[in-house]
Amino acid sequence: MNLKLDTLESWLWESANILRGSIDSSDFKNYIFGLLFLKRTNDTFEEEVEQLMEEDGSSREDAEDDTYFALPPEARWEYLKTVTENIGIELDKAFAAIERENTSLEGVLTTTKFGDKDKLSDDVIKRLLSHFNQYSLRNADLASPHILGDAYEYLIKQFADDAGKKGGEFYTPRGVVQLIVQLIKPQPKQRVYDPTMGSGGMLIEAANYIAQLPEGKVGKNINVSLYGQEKNLSTWAIGKLNMLLHNFTDASLEKGDTLVTPKHMENNDLMLFDRVIANPPFSQGEWWTPAETNVEVKLDKDGKEKKVTPKYNTQVTDPYGRFQYGIPPRGYADLAFLQHMIAVLKQDGKAGVVLPHGTLFRGSSEGKIRKALLQADLVEGIVGLPSKLFYNTGIPASIWIINKNKTEAQKNKVAIIDASQAFKEGKNQNSLEEEHVAKIVAAYNAYAEVDKYMRVVDVEEIAENDYNLNISRYIDTTEPEPEVDIAAVKETIANLEQQEADIDKKLSSFLKELGI
């Protein structure tokens, strides 16, 4: 019987319950994703070996040498099931061996250490291995080719819920991702890039969108090239595994700080992309590492050492010339990420990025950058999102759509949507549902005014507002006060006064009869 998605999801989530009490819930994903990949790799390895033996008549030894994925003996599931002591150490050796034989996985599987007995006892790991042994993850035993990737996405969402605010570091709510993808419309054969990729969900959603288009597939493969970079090592590893479990084996995912050391280069310059999609960390402070690692120290009047706050406007010197519209302040990296995305866009490219609302109206250096971007006519649209959509903050955010090749109708205009009321209310977190996404996309594509919801605003009008993009300046969502009929009100008051006089007269009569 083929393994169905709901069974697979509940089975995988149950593995988290085995870990409860042993490690922090925010770390569950690192252990479970590693074991999921190990079991999947073993099952498909055995499946391929058997297929090669049957089709080519080769020996098992020869078949094992010809598999797509090299699985060393110490990483074989059958061997690991027999280990009774120091199981975590043997798992660490297994993951190291896989990385050694498959260099594209270097640093992916060994970021998590199973051999730390202070965190995981042999008994807990034995329970996990037994639990993962319940089902086969061979291709032939799955209900559909996409089921494992779908289950992985489900797990990432569940772990983000479980981790609370920490979940925002690696997961962007699915509705937000779908919305951005449908707004920037990636196309077949394009390069799609996420400079703060997290677990890779935005790239995968972009690929899934392309798969539904004409020429979106070449055989079984989706006709797109995916690129990403992530600063957090364990999150990068999750992203790599996510891509592999979704069959994106050629995705170029790099480790490192995108702002300081962008890794995707071509001909000694920044690689350029057709579409850029991202949800950078909101308002990241102290974002230029070279300025922060060489902080000057001075003595104050009492002789105590005091660090001198770096002046970013003079100390940020980017060798790639990305910050041509201005240097963002030390406390807010938002427009640094945005300018990086603009710098790596092709001349006909588009970008969609989630940024905090403050980027729409904050002044000083950010105000100057915003003015420069609008004067350069790079901003195609702004979508104001509801509050409480994201794990790491309750504040509302906005989507910036950047377009280097606007149509004639779009030139010197910005489409602004107030979608702050388009959500499904949740106990701890709100969500964008399909109908909300569809409404936003339909209005944006129609490119026409919708009362209290959307306007296409001339940059000239925005300039009159000192280049402030605060949505409430352009879309009035207040309901008009009902008109007051003064004559009717006066008549009502007169009637009430007459009724009061009649009541007083009756009351006086009753009291007189009672002799009071």
Side-chain angles (χ1 to χ4, degrees):
M1 182 177 177
N2 286 342
L3 187 60
K4 295 182 178 179
L5 181 60
D6 56 350
T7 303
L8 179 58
E9 287 176 347
S10 61
W11 172 54
L12 292 175
W13 183 243
E14 184 60 31
S15 60
N17 293 328
I18 295 174
L19 286 171
R20 291 190 192 280
S22 297
I23 58 174
D24 190 83
S25 61
S26 62
D27 292 329
F28 285 175
K29 59 187 182 302
N30 303 323
Y31 295 90
I32 292 173
F33 290 157
L35 287 176
L36 172 61
F37 181 77
L38 183 64
K39 182 64 163 63
R40 165 69 171 171
T41 299
N42 269 270
D43 287 352
T44 53
F45 176 81
E46 285 297 320
E47 185 176 39
E48 188 178 1
V49 167
E50 291 173 9
Q51 187 176 353
L52 288 171
M53 290 170 64
E54 183 178 341
E55 292 177 353
D56 302 338
S58 56
S59 67
R60 181 175 182 87
E61 185 178 0
D62 288 340
E64 287 181 357
D65 290 337
D66 290 339
T67 56
Y68 174 79
F69 188 89
L71 190 66
E74 59 266 50
R76 305 283 171 89
W77 193 259
E78 290 305 312
Y79 162 69
L80 292 168
K81 284 194 305 180
T82 66
V83 179
T84 57
E85 294 182 350
N86 299 319
I87 309 173
I89 293 173
E90 291 302 310
L91 280 172
D92 289 340
K93 290 179 181 177
F95 288 127
I98 291 174
E99 288 188 8
R100 184 183 67 239
E101 298 296 326
N102 302 272
T103 55
S104 64
L105 290 174
E106 185 178 352
V108 175
L109 302 170
T110 52
T111 56
T112 302
K113 302 301 179 187
F114 284 81
D116 186 350
K117 288 192 175 183
D118 290 334
K119 288 186 175 180
L120 288 180
S121 66
D122 280 341
D123 286 341
V124 171
I125 298 178
K126 193 179 296 184
R127 284 183 63 198
L128 275 174
L129 291 177
S130 176
H131 180 75
F132 272 91
N133 200 49
Q134 289 181 33
Y135 294 102
S136 166
L137 296 178
R138 294 184 177 211
N139 291 316
D141 294 326
L142 302 179
S144 79
H146 311 294
I147 186 175
L148 207 62
D150 292 341
Y152 193 87
E153 286 290 311
Y154 161 82
L155 272 184
I156 290 175
K157 166 68 167 65
Q158 292 300 105
F159 287 132
D161 286 342
D162 214 46
K165 285 190 175 182
K166 288 185 178 180
E169 297 175 6
F170 59 90
Y171 181 78
T172 301
R174 188 174 184 84
V176 177
V177 178
Q178 292 174 332
L179 174 58
I180 300 176
V181 168
Q182 292 178 41
L183 290 175
I184 64 173
K185 298 177 174 59
Q187 299 297 307
K189 302 180 183 180
Q190 288 188 337
R191 287 177 172 178
V192 182
Y193 169 64
D194 184 345
T196 57
M197 69 174 201
S199 56
M202 285 188 158
L203 293 173
I204 290 169
E205 186 63 35
N208 290 338
Y209 177 90
I210 290 171
Q212 305 305 314
L213 301 176
E215 300 183 20
K217 281 191 172 184
V218 178
K220 292 183 178 180
N221 298 319
I222 298 177
N223 195 6
V224 65
S225 298
L226 301 179
Y227 302 82
Q229 186 166 337
E230 173 56 43
K231 183 177 180 179
N232 183 290
L233 184 60
S234 63
T235 303
W236 167 81
I238 290 171
K240 287 279 283 188
L241 293 179
N242 199 9
M243 288 293 168
L244 291 171
L245 291 171
H246 279 86
N247 297 317
F248 295 112
T249 56
D250 296 328
S252 173
L253 309 180
E254 299 288 347
K255 294 175 284 189
D257 185 338
T258 300
L259 292 181
V260 178
T261 53
K263 294 293 182 67
H264 290 95
M265 307 295 293
E266 200 168 47
N267 300 322
N268 296 319
D269 206 349
L270 293 172
M271 185 180 287
L272 300 181
F273 304 94
D274 302 282
R275 295 290 185 271
V276 180
I277 182 168
N279 175 20
F282 285 1
S283 301
Q284 177 183 320
E286 301 177 10
W287 52 272
W288 191 253
T289 308
E292 301 298 335
T293 53
N294 298 298
V295 175
E296 184 182 356
V297 177
K298 287 185 176 181
L299 297 177
D300 63 16
K301 60 182 180 180
D302 298 322
K304 293 181 180 180
E305 288 188 349
K306 183 179 180 181
K307 291 182 179 180
V308 179
T309 302
K311 295 181 179 179
Y312 272 40
N313 59 339
T314 58
Q315 290 182 253
V316 176
T317 54
D318 177 44
Y320 307 105
R322 291 172 292 173
F323 308 132
Q324 58 178 298
Y325 300 103
I327 305 296
R330 183 176 183 240
Y332 301 105
D334 308 304
L335 297 184
F337 282 112
L338 184 62
Q339 288 188 83
H340 168 79
M341 296 174 215
I342 292 170
V344 299
L345 269 183
K346 292 181 179 179
Q347 287 307 307
D348 59 351
K350 293 182 73 171
V353 54
V354 182
L355 294 176
H357 252 28
T359 57
L360 301 175
F361 54 79
R362 286 194 295 246
S364 193
S365 57
E366 287 186 296
K368 293 176 182 176
I369 295 169
R370 189 170 55 248
K371 176 180 178 180
L373 295 174
L374 288 161
Q375 288 180 332
D377 203 17
L378 290 168
V379 184
E380 177 188 294
I382 299 291
V383 178
L385 297 174
S387 59
K388 294 175 65 177
L389 286 182
F390 299 90
Y391 290 95
N392 51 349
T393 180
I395 64 172
S398 57
I399 295 172
W400 288 60
I401 304 298
I402 299 296
N403 189 350
K404 283 192 172 181
N405 188 32
K406 286 186 175 184
T407 64
E408 285 300 317
Q410 293 171 329
K411 285 181 179 178
N412 294 308
K413 293 181 174 62
V414 179
I416 299 178
I417 291 180
D418 182 350
S420 59
Q421 302 306 310
F423 65 91
K424 178 183 177 182
E425 188 172 1
K427 182 178 179 181
N428 298 316
Q429 190 178 6
N430 298 326
S431 61
L432 277 184
E433 302 296 301
E434 286 187 16
E435 62 265 28
H436 305 130
V437 172
K439 180 181 178 182
I440 295 168
V441 172
Y444 196 88
N445 290 343
Y447 208 69
E449 183 168 339
V450 179
D451 188 41
K452 301 185 184 301
Y453 188 72
M454 173 172 170
R455 278 191 64 207
V456 178
V457 184
D458 288 329
V459 173
E460 186 176 317
E461 180 181 342
I462 298 172
E464 291 171 359
N465 282 299
D466 199 24
Y467 296 95
N468 187 318
L469 282 172
N470 199 344
I471 293 172
S472 62
R473 288 186 177 231
Y474 305 99
I475 299 177
D476 182 10
T477 59
T478 60
E479 294 295 332
E481 293 291 335
E483 290 187 11
V484 178
D485 186 335
I486 300 298
V489 171
K490 289 175 72 174
E491 184 179 348
T492 300
I493 292 172
N495 289 335
L496 289 172
E497 288 175 342
Q498 182 60 51
Q499 290 175 28
E500 184 180 15
D502 292 343
I503 292 170
D504 287 343
K505 187 177 180 181
K506 286 182 180 180
L507 180 60
S508 179
S509 175
F510 291 149
L511 292 173
K512 188 175 181 180
E513 289 179 10
L514 293 170
I516 299 174

